[in-house]
Every structure is written in structure tokens, then in C-alpha cells.
Amino acid sequence: MDRKGILIVISGFSGAGKGTLVKGLMSRYTNYAFSISATTRKPRAGEENGVEYFFKTREEFMNMIDNNKLIEYAQYVGNFYGTPKEYVDSQLDSGKDVILEIEIQGALKVKEKFPDTLLLFVTPPNATVLKQRLVGRGTEDFETIQCRLRRATQEAEGIEQYDYLIVNDDLDECIVHTHNIIQGEHSRASRNISKIEQIREELKSF
Ligand SMILES: Nc1nc2c(ncn2[C@@H]2O[C@H](COP(=O)(O)OP(=O)(O)O)[C@@H](O)[C@H]2O)c(=O)[nH]1
Ligand SMILES: Nc1ncnc2c1ncn2[C@@H]1O[C@H](COP(=O)(O)OP(=O)(O)O)[C@@H](O)[C@H]1O
């Protein structure tokens, strides 16, 4: 089978449910690989190095940039976040669909480098629910929550650049809907050039 994996970006406001959605996709379906980002953010209670993120010092992160180890990186509310290159390349080559859970600046850089990337933006049903989820998660102090909500206002300006807006209201529905969008993407003609070329060749013999 000549299928190569699709690169999928999932972005969304802090507290929208990106992480929850990605965990749901990974546990329910087998063809996804999750790209674990590097970050200078401190781990939250329960987060483990190499599971949610690779937690780095600022110096380690700068070395990764200098040694060209990242596909993209960006700053978000005082910390650096970046996508390690090697894992993404190897998983795509092996035919897995690779999920990057990254913010909008990084998303646009990835799209520029790999125009076939599918850009998905996750939103809660409304802003009140967003605040409730962010506060309810209980991982950030009041000031950080305010910074993240202000950042959400900026991010909302860029949503039109995404391919799909995914409303995360009922989680199960959201997981299935996202999976269906990704599966539909595999059928795009532009992703199936080799199949089309094969049929063109075969037609010549009639
Ligand atoms: N550009 C970029 N953004 C990332 C990367 N990893 C995570 N992010 C984004 O950084 C932002 C902050 O992530 P995090 O601190 O885990 O907060 P959360 O979104 O509230 O869970 C989110 O928008 C993530 O999608 C990355 O490798 N590159
Ligand atoms: N569809 C949903 N319905 C109710 N709560 C949700 C839903 N999706 C996520 N949550 C909750 O909202 C909070 C924020 O979700 P999280 O995945 O951490 O968001 P993000 O990764 O976008 O910052 C978490 O406490 C999570 O359990």
C-alpha cells in the first residue's frame, strides 16, 4: 500500500479540550502517532517527562533550535514550545497519521513547510464553557488563566486559516467527528497522485 501518513495539526484555546480530544483519538484508533513536543514550561502535577512533553531547560531548548532538531517552535505565555523533527518524519514515512497539538504560529509554519497539512481548530461551544473548563482543570493560577484567556482573544483572529473548526461539546461526538474528517482527507485526489498515475498507465493499454 502506497499510503503515506497525513500531518494533522490540532490547535485551540487553552482549555478547549485539545489534550482530551487527542487522548481520545489515540486510545480509540490505532493509526495515529502523537508528536510529543519539547517545552520550557514546568510540568503540571501528574505530567511526566516524555509523556505529555519533553520538559527542557531554556538552554536545552535553545540547543535544539541551534542543532535544527525542531520543525517549528513558538513562544506561548512566557514559555517555548517546539516540535521535534525526527519522530514526525519517521512516523509519516511508516504510514502513521501524525498529530501535532500546537498553537497557531507553529501551525502556520508547519503549513508553510508542508502544504498538505490538515489544520483543525478546536473550540468549546462558547466562551463561558471555555472559562469553566480552564478554571475547572485546576492547573493554573488566576493570573495565568487571565493570560491564557487574553491569548485566546488573539488566537480567535486566526481561525479562518484553518481547514476545519471542530466544536468540542459532547466529547465522544467530537472524537468521532474529528476521526471522520481525517479519514476523509485520505481520499483527496492530491494525496493519491500515484494511484491516479497507475490508472492512467493502465488505461493506455486498452
Ligand atoms: N508552536 C507550538 N505550540 C505548542 C507545541 N506544543 C504545545 N503547544 C501549544 O502551546 C500552548 C500551551 O500548551 P500548554 O502549556 O500545554 O497548555 P494547554 O493548552 O492549556 O494545555 C497550547 O496552545 C499548545 O497547543 C509545539 O511543539 N509547538
Ligand atoms: N467535551 C468536554 N466536555 C466536558 N469537559 C471537557 C470536554 N473536553 C475537555 N474537557 C475538560 O476541560 C478541561 C480542559 O481540557 P484540556 O484537554 O486540558 O484542554 P486543552 O488541552 O485544550 O488546554 C479538562 O478538565 C477536561 O477534562
Side-chain angles (χ1 to χ4, degrees):
M1 193 157 147
D2 59 6
R3 193 182 98 166
K4 209 169 160 281
I6 292 177
L7 196 50
I8 303 143
V9 163
I10 297 188
S11 301
F13 310 127
S14 182
K18 304 176 295 296
T20 308
L21 168 62
V22 170
K23 281 196 183 113
L25 285 168
M26 297 293 297
S27 65
R28 199 170 299 188
Y29 307 103
T30 54
N31 200 48
Y32 297 120
F34 174 62
S35 159
I36 301 171
S37 295
T39 183
T40 59
R41 166 164 84 58
K42 297 279 170 285
R44 292 174 184 147
E47 284 185 335
E48 271 179 63
N49 191 35
V51 178
E52 286 84 4
Y53 285 105
F54 295 110
F55 294 99
K56 302 284 178 192
T57 62
R58 211 177 158 95
E59 194 187 352
E60 286 168 340
F61 196 94
M62 293 306 145
N63 277 337
M64 290 182 86
I65 297 174
D66 291 346
N67 293 318
N68 203 24
K69 299 272 186 213
L70 301 175
I71 293 177
E72 62 73 38
Y73 67 93
Q75 253 187 311
Y76 179 95
V77 190
N79 290 302
F80 283 97
Y81 296 80
T83 305
K85 192 191 288 205
E86 208 175 300
Y87 177 81
V88 172
D89 288 345
S90 69
Q91 294 299 306
L92 286 175
D93 286 347
S94 76
K96 290 262 184 189
D97 292 339
V98 179
I99 299 178
L100 310 184
E101 195 244 278
I102 67 176
E103 53 68 69
I104 184 165
Q105 302 167 68
L108 298 180
K109 281 185 218 158
V110 171
K111 183 80 181 175
E112 214 176 287
K113 279 192 184 171
F114 307 102
D116 266 0
T117 305
L118 178 64
L119 297 186
L120 310 179
F121 196 94
V122 181
T123 175
N126 57 57
T128 306
V129 169
L130 178 69
K131 191 167 180 183
Q132 281 165 357
R133 285 186 187 166
L134 201 46
V135 172
R137 189 170 69 185
T139 51
E140 267 81 25
D141 58 28
F142 177 75
E143 201 178 315
T144 311
I145 288 175
Q146 291 302 115
C147 285
R148 281 162 181 261
L149 290 172
R150 276 197 295 276
R151 178 73 178 222
T153 311
Q154 289 168 18
E155 285 175 335
E157 294 299 314
I159 293 177
E160 285 90 346
Q161 303 188 68
Y162 282 73
D163 298 308
Y164 292 90
L165 183 69
I166 293 174
V167 179
N168 175 20
D169 191 351
D170 177 89
L171 181 61
D172 270 358
E173 275 176 25
C174 179
I175 293 168
V176 173
H177 179 53
T178 307
H179 177 68
N180 289 342
I181 288 173
I182 297 167
Q183 292 320 297
E185 197 63 13
H186 279 288
S187 311
R188 268 182 193 261
S190 61
R191 291 194 193 283
N192 290 287
I193 292 299
S194 59
K195 174 60 93 193
I196 293 165
E197 276 166 1
Q198 178 200 328
I199 293 172
R200 278 188 192 131
E201 278 310 305
E202 287 167 1
L203 284 170
K204 282 181 194 163
S205 66
F206 294 147

